[in-house]
Amino acid sequence: MSLSQGSFEAVVGMFERVSGIRLVAAKKPLVEGRLQRLAQQAGHARLDDYVHQLMQAASPEELTRVIDKLTTNETYFFREPQHFDHLKAQLPELMRGPGSTGGTLRLWSAASSSGEEAYSLAMLLDEELGASARWEIAATDLSTAMVRHGRRALYPMERARNLSPARLKRHCLRGTGEYEGQVLVQRQLRERVRFDSANLMRDLPRTLGSFDVIFLRNVLIYFDPPAKAAIVRRVLGQLKPDGLLYTGHAESLSNLDLPVRAVATAVYAHAA
Ligand SMILES: C[S@@+](CC[C@H](N)C(=O)[O-])C[C@H]1O[C@@H](n2cnc3c(N)ncnc32)[C@H](O)[C@@H]1O
């Protein structure tokens, strides 16, 4: 099934209004591929008819399904492992802040996709600080399907390729029977991570609070420089004065005129 140029542009406009991401012309085949199943499920033999109906009278649920399909959610446990090594080295210093005042160390995975990044952070904190220490993790994503996946915490073995056997044993249950080939994150880690939907292009939920560490990785890459800068400013508003912001290794913040200083590769703090 193919899309006319007009229908493609209508989808691009709708997706940009909701997510802030502008899909370039080269993404047309990808959009066609991803919308095909939804069109069939909605009873349309032609993609153009489906898009026409979407634009005229889509329910909020149908629009959510389209947004979920069009976002790129690739992720895996301990992706870009240097960041986890860096954070591990910073933990004693970070704990001197909240730890010494009896507060809670708070981390945020700000484009969490299906949750592997948030659970990797939880594994690291469990190993380094222990289960009785006061820490918690917030995980948010635009895609409600990804938020549900994160809450479920069930993953194909393939996503756990960076987990050592010791980590797998300590933090995950291996599926058997119908769950063969999958891993479930242990309950005590699941209870430390709270998943919610949030759009980084809009006002953030009031209940989010402020964080010692924010992982904003592999999401800025989809935005143009003004949108990138707006997202980072919004996210910085949630970072405590001595907090750390991690971006993807391909996502430099230089040339964006932001009030940050680099403290390591793709790790930032508030400008002094
Ligand atoms: C490639 S994943 C990154 C996952 C993880 N941070 C990592 O580095 O592996 C990008 C995620 O950004 C989310 N996303 C895209 N636009 C967003 C927006 N405007 N607000 C919040 N999340 C967004 C997508 O739904 C997707 O799950």
Side-chain angles (χ1 to χ4, degrees):
M1 282 201 251
S2 64
L3 271 176
S4 67
Q5 193 55 27
S7 299
F8 175 65
E9 280 163 18
V11 173
V12 168
M14 184 274 288
F15 189 58
E16 187 175 17
R17 277 192 299 284
V18 178
S19 72
I21 298 172
R22 180 146 190 94
L23 297 164
V24 295
K27 298 272 183 195
K28 189 163 173 278
L30 180 135
V31 171
E32 289 167 345
R34 291 193 177 173
L35 293 190
Q36 197 153 322
R37 213 138 134 250
L38 291 181
Q40 281 161 352
Q41 281 164 356
H44 293 287
R46 285 164 25 98
L47 267 183
D48 283 344
D49 294 342
Y50 175 59
V51 171
H52 182 75
Q53 181 236 316
L54 266 185
M55 298 303 145
Q56 299 305 311
S59 64
E61 293 76 25
E62 190 66 24
L63 280 177
T64 303
R65 277 194 283 276
V66 172
I67 298 300
D68 284 347
K69 277 275 180 258
L70 294 180
T71 47
T72 296
N73 309 114
E74 196 217 338
T75 188
Y76 44 92
F77 287 96
F78 289 93
R79 179 178 194 178
E80 300 181 13
Q82 304 90 318
H83 274 160
F84 294 90
D85 295 340
H86 183 272
L87 176 59
K88 180 175 164 179
Q90 304 306 310
L91 282 176
E93 181 69 27
L94 286 167
M95 281 310 278
R96 268 197 282 282
S100 61
T101 56
T104 300
L105 186 72
R106 302 193 71 236
L107 291 82
W108 177 25
S109 169
S112 62
S113 186
S114 37
E116 290 88 328
E117 180 177 84
Y119 289 124
S120 303
L121 292 169
M123 289 177 191
L124 182 73
L125 296 196
D126 180 73
E127 291 160 16
E128 296 302 312
L129 306 178
S132 58
R134 296 178 65 165
W135 54 267
E136 63 186 28
I137 296 173
T140 60
D141 199 275
L142 172 73
S143 158
T144 53
M146 288 300 112
V147 169
R148 281 197 301 276
H149 192 162
R151 288 186 185 137
R152 194 158 180 241
L154 183 67
Y155 302 101
M157 246 342 238
E158 158 61 15
R159 302 274 185 88
R161 59 184 179 268
N162 282 3
L163 290 183
S164 63
R167 273 199 167 129
L168 263 179
K169 189 160 180 242
R170 175 170 174 155
H171 302 297
C172 301
L173 301 167
R174 277 169 190 268
T176 54
E178 63 171 309
Y179 297 108
E180 186 76 48
Q182 302 191 73
V183 292
L184 178 70
V185 176
Q186 292 269 20
R187 178 193 290 266
Q188 78 258 24
L189 288 194
R190 296 203 306 268
E191 288 173 350
R192 293 283 190 135
V193 184
R194 189 196 151 97
F195 284 90
D196 281 300
S197 57
N199 186 345
L200 296 167
M201 291 295 285
R202 304 262 184 275
D203 287 346
L204 295 166
R206 283 174 184 278
T207 50
L208 203 53
S210 57
F211 296 93
D212 302 279
V213 173
I214 299 177
F215 271 43
L216 177 69
R217 305 192 313 161
N218 301 303
V219 60
L220 294 174
I221 204 164
Y222 302 113
F223 297 92
D224 61 16
K228 237 184 242 186
I231 289 178
V232 175
R233 282 179 191 279
R234 192 169 294 120
V235 166
L236 282 174
Q238 311 296 131
L239 186 68
K240 290 183 186 174
D242 296 325
L244 293 172
L245 171 69
Y246 293 75
T247 63
H249 280 84
E251 300 171 311
S252 166
L253 300 186
S254 55
N255 305 323
L256 290 177
D257 193 24
L258 289 164
V260 291
R261 63 191 161 89
V263 296
T265 308
V267 186
Y268 299 87
H270 286 289

